[in-house]
Amino acid sequence: MADMWKVVLAVVVAAFAAFITHRIVKLKEMALVSREVPVKHLKCRYLENIDLLHPRPTPVMLQIKGQLDLSSFNPHGISVYTDETDGSVYLFVVNHPQKNSQIEIFSFVGGDTLLHLKTIIHPLLHSVNDIIAVGVENFYATNDHYFHNDALHFLTILLGLSWCDVVYYSPGDVRVAASAIMSSNGINISPDKRYIYVSDILDHEIDVFKRQEGEQLVFMKSVAVGSLCDNIEVDQKSGDVWLGCHPNSMKLSQFNPEDPPGSEIIKIKNIHSEQPVVTQEYVDDGHVLMASTVAAPYEGKLLIGTVFHKALYCNLK
């Protein structure tokens, strides 16, 4: 009997070791640790101004008024909402004071002032990455972690547990609108407001959800992009989806100035068709631009932002 239990134990240990080895291989695949991408540049220059319609504009720092504690203001995701009834403009910002998650809502007052209106804190909004406003106090937000604890978070990734979600918030209703996401990152909305796009960064996919009555999201499809895509921008005229991506997360996490993290900008055309067209629009090995996170097109121009490096202003035409 003792020999039998030794055999069973040996089989269990071998199976567990095989499982862990398999998951480590999958983890490396998720991180794209071996990926190298050829350089593909546009006509760009480092950003010295913001307004794409003016040849030489000067950025203006917005003044923040209200009760917000500016000493702990740590902004992350951002979204702008315009109230069609009166033209009022609101700014929604993900804030991480002391690594917590809360949403700050501002209104634009004049040309250079933000008035802080409200801070939103809720248990479901526990690890917010990005946000898309759909009303004066209504929004969808992505949670990119299930656990706050770093070790437990790593364990969920190692085990391949898709426990992240998208939360819908309104003053009278807060709920999980979509779930079963490996790591929900950037979020945006289609020009017709019928669909929500979410970047599942570790699955290298953009998930497409349809908005239902009551603001529940119904999963429609995933579009493979082959990269670790961060934020999502949508061309309001064409509906094209633009993504700021990391070609190789190992280079990002283990920064080496001799082999810096690269940048990759991906565009998805006809995302709702049976065969969306996924193209690389800009790629750099990190010697021009490191760690791209967002690409915003406007009137034939493109702004590319990064985690910690510079920003590029590019011509698409």
Side-chain angles (χ1 to χ4, degrees), residues 122-138:
H122 193 276
L124 289 180
L125 299 168
H126 58 87
S127 183
V128 181
N129 184 292
D130 199 11
I131 186 172
I132 181 67
V134 294
V136 174
E137 293 186 77
N138 307 52

Side-chain angles (χ1 to χ4, degrees), residues 201-314:
I201 187 169
L202 293 179
D203 269 350
H204 316 146
E205 294 178 339
I206 302 301
D207 295 334
V208 179
F209 298 90
K210 188 173 183 179
R211 294 173 71 186
Q212 298 291 300
E213 185 175 351
E215 298 296 354
Q216 200 67 16
L217 298 179
V218 175
F219 176 79
M220 303 299 291
K221 66 191 298 185
S222 291
V223 179
V225 290
S227 189
L228 294 145
C229 293
D230 201 322
N231 291 295
I232 302 173
E233 295 296 327
V234 180
D235 188 309
Q236 294 301 302
K237 291 184 177 179
S238 67
D240 293 344
V241 175
W242 289 78
L243 310 166
C245 310
H246 306 290
N248 182 322
S249 71
M250 187 64 70
K251 292 184 179 182
L252 180 63
S253 61
Q254 299 180 356
F255 180 77
N256 177 2
E258 300 299 320
D259 187 19
S263 294
E264 184 175 16
I265 304 305
I266 291 175
K267 180 177 74 174
I268 305 176
K269 194 174 185 63
N270 301 324
I271 191 170
H272 298 288
S273 69
E274 292 186 2
Q275 294 184 322
V277 179
V278 179
T279 56
Q280 289 177 316
E281 298 297 317
Y282 176 91
V283 186
D284 184 67
D285 58 8
H287 289 89
V288 174
L289 194 70
M290 302 181 197
S292 58
T293 59
V294 64
Y298 187 71
E299 298 294 339
K301 309 293 184 180
L302 185 70
L303 290 180
I304 304 176
T306 63
V307 176
F308 55 81
H309 197 212
K310 300 178 181 180
L312 284 185
Y313 168 94
C314 306

Side-chain angles (χ1 to χ4, degrees), residues 27 44 57 76 80 85 94 101-102 119 127-128 144 150 170 179 190 203 241 286 292 302:
L27 188 63
C44 305
H76 192 181
V80 175
T85 61
V94 178
S101 290
Q102 58 193 55
T119 295
S127 183
V128 181
D144 57 10
D150 289 339
S170 73
S179 57
S190 62
D203 269 350
V241 175
S292 58
L302 185 70

